Structure formats: structure tokens, C-alpha cells
Amino acid sequence: MPIALTNAQIRFLRGQAHDLKAMLQVGGKGITDALVAEVDGALEHHELIKIKVAASDRELRDAMIADLAERSDAALVQRIGNVAVLYRPAKDKRQIVLPRT
């Protein structure tokens, strides 16, 4: 189940993600189990990641991003063009402390 974020938390995470580079890229094969496993590992290690989605159609790109966020139990923080920012707190060692309100 994805995490519900408040508007203040989303603003905070967008600020944290501003300087990040895209870690993963979704290519022509779409969303595979291997890609979901890579996203899970990256989220567990970094908690906040950027992903590039190479799809020319906007609806397809949005559907791929939503599917990837759902399959990795992450919250979609932001989507600008073909870049999406995903957040999921680490199970073992949290690095990002979200504001309460």
C-alpha cells in the first residue's frame, strides 16, 4: 500500500529531490520484474529516487509511472515531463525525516 503524504511533506521531498540525478531509466521493454526489483533496492538504499521513463505518449508514460509506484509500494512525489520522483521510507534505517504537518 503506497504511503499517503501531506502537501508539506511533498514540498519537502520535492526540495530534497531537486539536485538528484535520475538513477534508473524505463526503456522499450517497459516495466519488468527486474526493473521493479532495481527500484525496490534503490528505494531501500536511498528512499528518494528519480526515474526517467522513455515513452512518447503522455498517457502511456503516466500509466507506467503509476504502475511502477504501485508495484514498488512507493509514493509518487512529482512528475515533470519524463522524469518521476518516487519516495518510500527504508525498512531498516531511515535517512529522510519528513516534517509532521
Side-chain angles (χ1 to χ4, degrees), residues 78-96:
Q78 178 178 2
R79 183 193 70 79
I80 297 178
N82 63 344
V83 177
V85 177
L86 298 179
Y87 168 75
R88 186 182 73 197
K91 295 176 182 99
D92 296 335
K93 185 177 171 186
R94 291 182 110 182
Q95 299 171 359
I96 299 174

Side-chain angles (χ1 to χ4, degrees), residues 53-67 76 79-84:
V53 180
S56 58
D57 184 32
R58 177 180 280 193
E59 283 109 27
L60 177 62
R61 185 171 52 230
D62 289 347
M64 289 172 80
I65 291 169
D67 184 37
L76 176 63
R79 183 193 70 79
I80 297 178
N82 63 344
V83 177

Side-chain angles (χ1 to χ4, degrees), residues 13 16-17 20 43 46-50 77 85-87 96:
L13 289 171
Q16 294 291 312
L20 293 179
L43 284 168
H46 298 285
E47 295 184 324
L48 187 67
I49 62 171
K50 278 187 181 178
V77 175
V85 177
L86 298 179
Y87 168 75
I96 299 174

